[in-house]
Coordinates of all heavy atoms in Angstrom, one line a residue:
V1736 N -22.7 13.4 20.0 CA -21.5 14.0 19.6 C -20.5 13.0 19.0 O -19.9 13.2 17.9 CB -20.8 14.7 20.8 CG1 -19.4 15.1 20.5 CG2 -21.6 15.9 21.3
G1737 N -20.5 11.8 19.6 CA -19.7 10.7 19.0 C -20.2 10.3 17.7 O -19.4 10.1 16.8
A1738 N -21.5 10.3 17.5 CA -22.1 9.9 16.2 C -21.7 11.0 15.2 O -21.5 10.7 14.0 CB -23.6 9.8 16.3
G1739 N -21.8 12.3 15.6 CA -21.5 13.3 14.6 C -20.0 13.3 14.2 O -19.7 13.4 13.0
Y1740 N -19.1 12.9 15.1 CA -17.7 12.8 14.8 C -17.5 11.6 13.9 O -16.7 11.6 12.9 CB -16.9 12.6 16.1 CG -15.4 12.4 15.8 CD1 -14.6 13.6 15.5 CD2 -14.8 11.2 15.7 CE1 -13.3 13.4 15.2 CE2 -13.5 11.0 15.4 CZ -12.7 12.2 15.2 OH -11.4 12.0 14.9
A1741 N -18.3 10.5 14.2 CA -18.2 9.3 13.3 C -18.6 9.6 11.9 O -18.0 9.2 11.0 CB -19.0 8.2 13.9
L1742 N -19.7 10.4 11.8 CA -20.2 10.7 10.5 C -19.2 11.6 9.7 O -18.9 11.5 8.5 CB -21.5 11.5 10.6 CG -22.4 11.6 9.3 CD1 -22.7 10.2 8.8 CD2 -23.6 12.3 9.6
Y1743 N -18.5 12.5 10.5 CA -17.5 13.4 9.9 C -16.3 12.5 9.4 O -15.7 12.7 8.4 CB -17.0 14.4 10.9 CG -15.9 15.3 10.5 CD1 -16.1 16.3 9.7 CD2 -14.5 15.0 10.9 CE1 -15.1 17.2 9.2 CE2 -13.5 15.8 10.4 CZ -13.8 16.9 9.6 OH -12.7 17.7 9.2
S1744 N -16.0 11.5 10.2 CA -14.9 10.6 9.8 C -15.2 9.7 8.6 O -14.3 9.3 7.9 CB -14.5 9.6 11.0 OG -14.2 10.3 12.2
A1745 N -16.5 9.5 8.4 CA -16.9 8.7 7.2 C -17.1 9.5 6.0 O -17.9 9.1 5.1 CB -18.1 7.9 7.6
R1746 N -16.4 10.5 5.8 CA -16.5 11.3 4.6 C -15.9 10.6 3.4 O -14.9 9.9 3.6 CB -15.9 12.7 4.8 CG -16.6 13.6 5.7 CD -15.7 14.8 6.0 NE -14.5 14.4 6.6 CZ -13.4 15.2 6.7 NH1 -13.4 16.4 6.2 NH2 -12.3 14.8 7.3
K1747 N -16.4 10.9 2.2 CA -15.8 10.3 1.0 C -14.5 11.0 0.8 O -14.4 12.2 0.8 CB -16.8 10.5 -0.1 CG -16.3 9.8 -1.4 CD -17.3 10.0 -2.5 CE -16.9 9.3 -3.8 NZ -17.9 9.4 -4.9
P1748 N -13.4 10.2 0.5 CA -12.1 10.9 0.3 C -12.2 11.7 -1.0 O -12.9 11.4 -2.0 CB -11.2 9.7 0.0 CG -12.1 8.5 -0.3 CD -13.3 8.8 0.4
K1749 N -11.4 12.8 -1.0 CA -11.4 13.7 -2.1 C -10.1 13.4 -3.0 O -9.0 13.5 -2.5 CB -11.3 15.2 -1.6 CG -12.6 15.7 -0.9 CD -12.5 17.1 -0.5 CE -13.8 17.6 0.1 NZ -13.7 19.0 0.5
F1750 N -10.4 13.1 -4.2 CA -9.3 12.9 -5.2 C -9.1 14.1 -6.0 O -9.6 14.2 -7.1 CB -9.6 11.6 -6.0 CG -9.8 10.4 -5.2 CD1 -11.0 9.9 -4.9 CD2 -8.6 9.7 -4.8 CE1 -11.2 8.8 -4.1 CE2 -8.8 8.5 -4.0 CZ -10.1 8.1 -3.7

Side-chain angles (χ1 to χ4, degrees):
V1736 172
Y1740 180 81
L1742 196 57
Y1743 177 79
S1744 301
R1746 293 169 298 165
K1747 186 176 180 179
K1749 292 182 178 180
F1750 300 97

